[in-house]
Amino acid sequence: MPKTYPRPDLVIFDCDGVLVDSERVFNAVLAEDLTSRGLAMTTEVSLPTFAGLAMPEVAKKATEMGATLPETWIAEVYEIAYATLRQGVPLIPGVMTVLHRLDAAGIPTCVVSNGSEEKMRITLGPHGLWDRFHPNAMFSAHTMKVAKPDPGIFLAAAAHFDVEARQCVVIEDSATGARGAYRAGMQCFGYAAHDAGDLLAAEGAEVFHDMADLPLRLGLD
């Protein structure tokens, strides 16, 4: 018999790579900038190296790898990245259908992201998702001063909705996010659109590759 899943009381979505296909765009900017600062980097290397990390952690890791970064580096990278993202990024295929089905089932949703609110406004706004989630269902590491993989940002979201951690489901595409969900005691489904999802699985996530497969895992099918 096929596996059955209980319905959660809250579904927590990551933003980049789960709601919008922005990870590659942002990491292309990041790779080009770091290369100019002494750390040769490609988008393909940047993605697994930095995806899911908050920018202070990206700066720390890049410096440890050999980049020479000014104190204003994060602001400078964001300025370039925001200009690029304003040209538009597509939704992850099938994610709006999932959101509509969760709405129909009366299951609340929110966004937990290591990205800034400004970045999410730029990427989610054209698709109507900024208005959907902001401000009462959006939790940004930049605003809350706690970032994945610290479980605190997930637990804050659960507390806001008065839901126990074990009744939450997290949708992530990075090992960093999956690790945070695990530490928070939450079930995590790892969206792996471009690979087998081994890094997600290593952090305890149940891997899936198509948003069309998510409703079953959320107890909707």
Side-chain angles (χ1 to χ4, degrees), residues 159-184:
H160 177 80
F161 286 91
D162 196 23
V163 174
E164 294 183 21
R166 60 187 177 87
Q167 299 297 333
C168 298
V169 163
V170 176
I171 316 301
E172 276 287 351
D173 72 319
S174 75
T176 300
R179 188 179 309 128
Y182 176 81
R183 290 176 177 176

Side-chain angles (χ1 to χ4, degrees), residues 110-133:
C110 68
V111 177
V112 169
S113 174
N114 274 353
S116 68
E117 288 196 6
E118 176 65 9
K119 182 181 176 186
M120 288 189 277
R121 185 187 65 79
I122 291 168
T123 59
L124 299 179
H127 303 290
L129 292 182
W130 171 258
D131 291 335
R132 174 196 174 98
F133 290 111

